[in-house]
Amino acid sequence: MFYNKNNNKRTQIGGNRMILEERIKQLNDKKTAMERPYVVYWMQSSQRAEYNHALEYAIRQANRLEKPLVVYFGITDGFPEANERHYAFMLEGLKETKAALEQCGIQMLIRKISPEQGALEISGLAALLMVDRGYLRIERKWRATLAEGAECAVVQIESNVVVPVELASPKEEYSAATLRSKLKKILPHCLAPLEETVCQHPSVAAELPFEAYDVSDTEKALAGLAIDRSVPRVSDYIGGTAEAKRWLEDFIENKLAGYSERKNHPGESFTSNLSPYLHFGQISPLYIYRRLMGMDSESQQSFLEELVVRRELAVNFVYYNEQYDSYAAVPDWAKKTLDKHLADEREYLYSVEELEAAKTHDDFWNAAQLEMNLTGKMHGYMRMYWAKKILEWSSTPQEAYRKAIYLNNKYLLDGRDPNGFAGVSWCFGKHDRPWGERAIFGNVRFMNDKGLKRKFDMQLYLEQVAERARKRN
Ligand code: FAD
């Protein structure tokens, strides 16, 4: 049966239909188990029904093998450092993704189970199992467990980066400059549009011998999870691909022209706000890149520098550096200089509770923490200042590192992401170079409030955050 609904934008025949082979990797040496009834895509990091190379590859395999495709997603209530704020955003996106897949005749089975366990169980019904790619330790461990335990071939397809991580570089990069020059050469090879195919064999999830977790009502689905509820949901960002695309179009229309000049101004809103959506894989970076192609301007270049060079440097970092979430990841020169200044007097020392409550002597810092507490995001420029000050106000750099990672991951919707681990590490010298020597920081780059006042209208930022806090109360 050939399945297609009227509002399905997928095409039956495309032009260049290749998916870059460097995005595809078989994770075990098992064969396709033709006697099994389904082709399965375990969706984990690319939580979207469009512009998803893993989904597209799975559809093509299902059509080739003439079997129905089932998309499986496992929700664990134990994902490290995730809380109600993160789960709500994810569930909003999953609801939309499930509905969009069903429009294409593809059933999405969502289960409340440890994701890799559910993947192992459903692999018993799979002729072939596809999975997208994740870079964090736990995501890699899940895939390794599946690859070892599955009784069929497991194929991983990388869709959350423009340039596949190993193609970009075979090693941990020293800085943005070293990665940039490599990306420049390989980028054109990776920009082919993703041609989307119609799924020819509809599947019926109800026929699967597993209990589905209903995400059609986000409140109910959220209430059914045993999760940390200490960090409330936010209304500023609603999860899902449609919202991600709305932010993208708003950015292109209203902000992009001023991006290179104004992106660093904390009181002005000239950035895209796409990071939570990228974090949950609700939008594809390749889709974003292609949407901006042809708009040749300084701002476009500046935005793509962040989206590709900086973001994929972070992926390179967590992929090649096993200690990405600890102080051990900081380069030796920075550790040495910070050690040398360990005994320097710290004028202010704050506990994590004081930081969390935005109760320091520094109004700018408090506003940044408050922005994060209230909205689930913090302006990009303030993130640098924020982490640098935690370093300045802690007894040791190790303690500062732990506090910064903890707060970053707890409150930010885009937290627990390669970008967060790389961002914190950058504030301690990673991907940066030595600067002039100062107390506490040694040769690690220093930032102070005078710099903020000199460059930006900080009053505007303070007022905005205060207004946001008034609305919440
Ligand atoms: P835009 O300026 O619109 O940029 C577009 C996209 O490019 C972003 O969504 C992001 O994916 C990428 N990008 C932008 N700046 C950077 C950067 N410096 N490094 C890597 N990628 C970048 N980003 C996270 O996604 N999650 C985090 O937890 C996180 N924590 C950070 C902590 C610190 C201490 C620092 C210094 C930076 C951190 N960043 C983090 C990176 C950056 O600040 C955010 O990605 C950015 O502010 C997100 O806002 P936006 O989408 O509006 O950015």
Side-chain angles (χ1 to χ4, degrees):
M1 177 181 170
F2 192 87
Y3 195 86
N4 192 6
K5 289 240 171 117
N6 295 341
N7 55 355
N8 180 352
K9 285 187 292 177
R10 292 172 186 274
T11 54
Q12 189 181 352
I13 309 157
N16 172 13
R17 306 191 43 72
M18 292 290 288
I19 294 179
L20 199 63
E21 69 184 48
E22 290 91 340
R23 292 192 188 275
I24 304 165
K25 183 179 182 184
Q26 183 158 345
L27 298 182
N28 59 9
D29 55 10
K30 307 266 167 61
K31 298 243 177 323
T32 303
M34 271 314 284
E35 69 284 7
R36 309 258 178 79
Y38 299 103
V39 165
V40 174
Y41 162 35
W42 169 22
M43 180 182 283
Q44 193 267 321
S45 67
S46 301
Q47 298 173 21
R48 57 182 182 272
E50 44 183 275
Y51 237 87
N52 179 341
H53 294 85
L55 172 65
E56 175 56 26
Y57 186 82
I59 292 174
R60 292 183 194 182
Q61 295 306 317
N63 289 351
R64 181 177 68 82
L65 299 175
E66 300 185 348
K67 291 183 188 289
L69 172 65
V70 173
V71 174
Y72 152 75
F73 190 95
I75 303 182
T76 167
D77 15 48
F79 197 97
E81 299 182 282
N83 55 51
E84 184 171 89
R85 176 169 291 183
H86 307 115
Y87 278 100
F89 189 87
M90 181 175 85
L91 287 167
E92 285 160 357
L94 287 177
K95 178 181 166 181
E96 183 191 331
T97 298
K98 184 170 170 16
L101 286 172
E102 281 170 7
Q103 285 284 324
C104 306
I106 302 166
Q107 293 302 314
M108 183 172 187
L109 170 73
I110 301 179
R111 293 184 66 196
K112 197 177 133 191
I113 187 167
S114 192
E116 85 294 11
Q117 194 50 44
L120 273 173
E121 288 179 15
I122 202 169
S123 78
L125 297 175
L128 183 61
L129 198 147
M130 265 65 61
V131 61
D132 43 38
R133 189 166 201 180
Y135 305 95
L136 300 189
R137 199 173 293 118
I138 186 168
E139 296 177 307
R140 291 165 69 175
K141 196 166 145 226
W142 281 346
R143 284 157 181 80
T145 304
L146 173 69
E148 202 190 314
E151 288 303 322
C152 63
V154 175
V155 181
Q156 173 183 270
I157 302 98
E158 191 167 8
S159 192
N160 283 358
V161 285
V162 176
V163 180
V165 63
E166 286 134 328
L167 182 62
S169 170
K171 63 178 175 67
E172 184 180 1
E173 286 299 321
Y174 185 74
S175 68
T178 61
L179 182 66
R180 190 182 300 111
S181 60
K182 291 183 176 160
L183 287 177
K184 217 172 168 180
K185 289 182 205 136
I186 201 74
L187 197 58
H189 177 64
C190 304
L191 293 178
L194 183 63
E195 301 263 355
E196 296 180 327
T197 317
V198 170
C199 185
Q200 295 175 7
H201 304 277
S203 55
V204 182
E207 288 170 0
L208 295 165
F210 303 109
E211 193 187 341
Y213 194 64
D214 184 6
V215 299
S216 61
D217 180 333
T218 304
E219 305 305 320
K220 256 198 199 161
L222 202 54
L225 299 173
I227 51 173
D228 170 9
R229 301 195 187 274
S230 63
V231 185
R233 301 170 63 172
V234 289
S235 53
D236 305 69
Y237 305 98
I238 297 159
T241 302
E243 273 293 298
K245 287 165 89 175
R246 190 185 64 73
W247 280 108
L248 175 61
E249 294 310 315
D250 174 60
F251 174 70
I252 291 171
E253 201 176 323
N254 302 312
K255 304 172 179 177
L256 179 63
Y259 184 79
S260 69
E261 205 185 309
R262 312 207 73 82
K263 67 173 178 183
N264 285 339
H265 289 236
E268 299 183 29
S269 176
F270 273 91
T271 69
S272 69
N273 289 326
L274 285 169
S275 54
Y277 301 92
L278 283 161
H279 170 72
F280 285 93
Q282 294 173 351
I283 191 163
S284 143
L286 179 62
Y287 175 84
I288 301 173
Y289 192 108
R290 291 194 55 83
R291 188 67 191 80
L292 268 81
M293 271 163 85
M295 301 178 190
D296 203 10
S297 67
E298 204 184 316
S299 277
Q300 181 243 30
Q301 289 303 315
S302 166
F303 181 77
L304 294 179
E305 163 77 14
E306 302 297 348
L307 180 75
V308 183
V309 179
R310 289 284 164 184
R311 183 168 178 273
E312 297 191 7
L313 179 65
V315 171
N316 170 280
F317 170 56
V318 301
Y319 182 66
Y320 288 113
N321 192 323
E322 283 180 13
Q323 294 171 314
Y324 63 81
D325 50 356
S326 82
Y327 182 71
V330 170
D332 286 344
W333 71 262
K335 280 188 196 136
K336 230 181 252 170
T337 189
L338 289 167
D339 267 359
K340 194 175 144 202
H341 288 267
L342 208 49
D344 291 0
E345 192 196 335
R346 270 82 172 147
E347 200 180 345
Y348 302 98
L349 286 175
Y350 293 109
S351 67
V352 77
E353 290 79 18
E354 286 167 316
L355 295 173
E356 203 159 17
K359 288 204 178 331
T360 75
H361 66 284
D362 179 334
D363 287 345
F364 300 151
W365 194 94
N366 293 344
Q369 177 67 39
L370 215 52
E371 184 189 8
M372 170 159 93
N373 293 358
L374 293 168
T375 70
K377 254 195 118 234
M378 187 198 294
H379 191 278
Y381 197 87
M382 292 309 291
R383 294 189 200 212
M384 297 187 268
Y385 181 77
W386 173 85
K388 293 275 183 195
K389 289 293 145 184
I390 297 179
L391 172 57
E392 191 177 327
W393 302 335
S394 299
S395 315
T396 66
Q398 289 86 343
E399 181 196 316
Y401 205 94
R402 278 194 298 275
K403 284 179 183 163
I405 294 277
Y406 168 76
L407 295 172
N408 189 89
N409 290 354
K410 182 170 177 180
Y411 289 99
L412 291 173
L413 271 176
D414 60 27
R416 307 168 300 121
D417 186 275
N419 279 353
F421 295 112
V424 168
S425 203
W426 178 87
C427 292
F428 289 71
K430 183 79 195 169
H431 299 144
D432 203 2
R433 64 172 173 84
W435 293 72
E437 195 155 358
R438 290 207 171 237
I440 304 173
F441 287 79
N443 298 109
V444 170
R445 188 198 295 248
F446 168 78
M447 283 174 82
N448 68 4
D449 56 348
K450 285 196 194 89
L452 292 179
K453 280 190 263 190
R454 195 176 60 245
K455 291 182 196 153
F456 312 119
D457 180 355
M458 289 306 290
Q459 200 50 39
L460 191 62
Y461 180 61
L462 295 183
E463 279 163 18
Q464 271 175 12
V465 177
E467 176 59 23
R468 195 63 195 64
R470 269 195 297 279
K471 274 194 192 147
R472 168 59 70 92
N473 294 327

